[in-house]
Amino acid sequence: MKTYGLVGFPLSHSFSKTYFTEKFLKENIQNCEYLNFELEKISFLPELLESNQNIVGFNVTVPYKQSIIPYLHELDKTAEKIGAVNTVKINKGKLIGYNTDEYGFRFSLKPFLEKKHRNALILGNGGASRAVQYVLKDLGIEYTIAQRNPEKKEHLSFTEITEKVIQYHLLIINTTPVGMYPNVNACIDLPYHCISKEHLLYDLIYNPAKTLFLKKAEQQNASTINGLSMLQLQAEKAWNIWNNH
């Protein structure tokens, strides 16, 4: 039995287990299972792999997309440039890190992009945000990072997002977990009344399908995207890496 899985903490919000279990049934993929591995600390990873010798690949989610890197033997070039990993392949005991968030974000965003989306505001600066930044840079889209506690002087704090900032950035991307189930009544406090029909708001969250962040944007007639398509694309890319590389 080949075992695949998801490493993170907590995993109550996990999309991957359901997705892959249904995939195995639908595509009649035999002798495979996908399990959730909740690790309170990333330092428990070696112990997990030692006691589960059947694991051949796993996904990585919050909060370990960056802290897992020292535990890997090798990094794919894209993952190295991004500085975050969400997919690990185990090959003859060697752990190789990849980033399929980049692929998922790129191809879920592209159909919605217009010339006017030249400036993006990225909410958050964690592992998922790093993949978003990589894609935007590659697409030639300028971006500003906003976070609760800015890490660099050029970053904004959420409280510094003014009407002017919103009007300048016609693409706004939430990479934080704010608004994710079960905290569905939460959203980052922004001047939402300044959002217009020219805006495109993307929330990497998929549960709920429509976060308060997206609902408020829709009330202003903005275009919106949730994270489901990105997750499906990155999951298929991960499957491809595990089985075809």
Side-chain angles (χ1 to χ4, degrees):
M1 173 78 77
K2 281 184 179 176
T3 301
Y4 301 91
L6 178 66
V7 167
F9 188 84
L11 293 179
S12 54
H13 63 279
S14 167
F15 154 92
S16 303
K17 189 176 191 295
T18 305
Y19 183 84
F20 279 105
T21 304
E22 285 174 0
K23 178 182 172 69
F24 298 157
L25 283 170
K26 202 165 56 193
E27 298 177 25
N28 198 25
I29 297 167
Q30 304 286 321
N31 299 315
C32 287
E33 62 178 355
Y34 192 101
L35 306 173
N36 280 345
F37 299 111
E38 272 201 339
L39 297 184
E40 284 190 37
K41 293 178 182 173
I42 193 60
S43 56
F44 295 160
L45 181 69
E47 193 184 319
L48 167 74
L49 298 176
E50 186 62 39
S51 56
N52 291 271
Q53 299 282 331
N54 291 338
I55 299 175
V56 291
F58 57 93
N59 294 117
V60 184
T61 189
V62 177
Y64 302 134
K65 290 184 183 187
Q66 290 158 277
S67 56
I68 194 168
I69 292 174
Y71 294 87
L72 307 176
H73 300 100
E74 206 177 296
L75 276 185
D76 165 74
K77 278 180 187 166
T78 304
E80 194 172 0
K81 283 177 188 166
I82 292 168
V85 162
N86 77 316
T87 300
V88 176
K89 180 186 171 91
I90 302 176
N91 188 9
K92 296 173 185 168
K94 212 159 94 172
L95 273 62
I96 308 160
Y98 296 84
N99 191 302
T100 68
D101 279 339
E102 175 270 332
Y103 175 86
F105 178 69
R106 183 186 299 268
F107 290 100
S108 57
L109 175 69
K110 267 189 156 180
F112 296 87
L113 272 185
E114 296 179 43
K115 281 184 181 171
K116 64 185 176 184
H117 299 128
R118 286 188 298 269
N119 298 289
L121 179 64
I122 305 172
L123 306 175
N125 195 32
S129 175
R130 302 295 164 97
V132 167
Q133 292 166 40
Y134 178 85
V135 171
L136 294 182
K137 195 180 251 179
D138 199 47
L139 295 173
I141 297 170
E142 297 282 332
Y143 61 82
T144 303
I145 294 165
Q147 53 190 142
R148 186 170 281 111
N149 300 302
E151 292 163 33
K152 295 181 179 175
K153 63 172 187 276
E154 65 267 26
H155 294 184
L156 299 175
S157 73
F158 293 147
T159 54
E160 290 174 312
I161 300 173
T162 59
E163 295 186 14
K164 211 172 184 178
V165 171
I166 294 286
Q167 286 158 357
Y168 181 72
H169 298 91
L170 293 183
L171 174 59
I172 304 174
I173 304 153
N174 177 40
T175 71
T176 77
V178 178
M180 185 192 282
Y181 179 84
N183 303 310
V184 295
N185 295 319
C187 68
I188 291 166
D189 188 20
L190 303 174
Y192 288 96
H193 64 279
C194 304
I195 290 167
S196 69
K197 66 180 195 305
E198 300 300 315
H199 279 84
L200 171 61
L201 272 73
Y202 191 137
D203 199 330
L204 268 55
I205 294 169
Y206 72 94
N207 183 11
K210 209 168 277 182
T211 56
L212 189 55
F213 172 76
L214 294 185
K215 283 178 184 172
K216 284 176 177 274
E218 284 185 353
Q219 284 165 7
Q220 302 297 121
N221 299 312
S223 302
T224 61
I225 319 170
N226 73 6
L228 186 61
S229 175
M230 175 179 169
L231 275 163
Q232 291 166 339
L233 287 162
Q234 68 82 16
E236 287 302 322
K237 183 73 170 173
W239 180 251
N240 186 268
I241 286 166
W242 292 329
N243 291 282
N244 300 316
H245 269 239

